Amino acid sequence: AGSEGVGRGSTPNFIHLSEMSYYERRADMSQNALRGVLNAVPLVEGTIVIAESSGDGPKGSFYELCMSAERDDGSTPFQLLFIPWYEDEEYVLPVPELWSFSQDALELRAKLPDLTDEQLYYWDYKRSEHISSGGTFFEFIREYPSFLSDCFAAAEGRIYPEYGSLHYRDIPFTPRDAHMSGWKLYRGIDWGFG
């Protein structure tokens, strides 16, 4: 398994590609091996290919497959099934007395007002646990996605660290106001991904 000849010489009618996002990271699983597996499955009634994974940023075969299926433009026979973390009934924790939700949790609640306090506390607890063990927020939301875009959130390659809404503020001004107050104007370019 994992060689260039994987899937070749057979005609499987059921394949389950678990954690497909991470296949291309493995030295023994190249693009050719993955194509060999998928090409071996005949496109006839009764064949099943399940490709599932937590996301690994906006790159790779799994990402491309998901984006093609989301567009639903006929470019792939795959159907997209996204299951957010909060659909799992076990992802709840009792909220401790005097608990204050993080800013990230409050922002999530604004986007998903139907989340229960117990669900939101679970998410906030896991977020805090993940970040305190050295993980990043972007890695966390890929593991606990609320939206399809979370699966492919990217922080790699960024020059500046991740900032939530507490780390910036809007200053209303026009370029004319800035010039009149003696400010120098500069342009910035965000070369980040995502």
Side-chain angles (χ1 to χ4, degrees), residues 63-155:
Y63 170 75
E64 295 300 328
L65 189 65
C66 287
M67 295 301 99
S68 295
E70 183 186 32
R71 284 191 302 271
D72 195 23
D73 60 4
S75 63
T76 180
F78 285 90
Q79 295 177 358
L80 180 66
L81 174 62
F82 168 69
I83 303 172
W85 68 270
Y86 54 83
E87 291 293 327
D88 190 326
E89 295 175 358
E90 295 181 8
Y91 285 2
V92 293
L93 282 173
V95 182
E97 275 189 52
L98 305 176
W99 175 258
S100 295
F101 288 110
S102 69
Q103 183 63 33
D104 289 328
L106 295 174
E107 289 174 11
L108 181 63
R109 163 140 301 144
K111 295 175 188 174
L112 297 169
D114 292 337
L115 289 178
T116 66
D117 284 348
E118 292 76 17
Q119 287 174 309
L120 195 60
Y121 177 67
Y122 177 89
W123 183 90
D124 212 14
Y125 180 87
K126 296 304 279 184
R127 177 200 58 80
S128 176
E129 181 181 70
H130 183 83
I131 291 171
S132 67
S133 68
T136 69
F137 180 73
F138 288 99
E139 292 167 341
F140 170 73
I141 63 172
R142 287 195 311 244
E143 294 295 325
Y144 288 90
S146 299
F147 310 96
L148 180 63
S149 59
D150 291 349
C151 298
F152 306 110

Side-chain angles (χ1 to χ4, degrees), residues 50-61:
I50 297 172
E52 54 86 5
S53 187
S54 47
D56 187 30
K59 63 188 183 305
S61 299

Side-chain angles (χ1 to χ4, degrees), residues 30-53:
S30 70
Q31 275 290 92
N32 287 338
L34 186 57
R35 274 194 301 272
V37 168
L38 294 176
N39 286 334
V41 180
L43 295 176
V44 297
E45 188 173 331
T47 58
I48 297 173
V49 175
I50 297 172
E52 54 86 5
S53 187

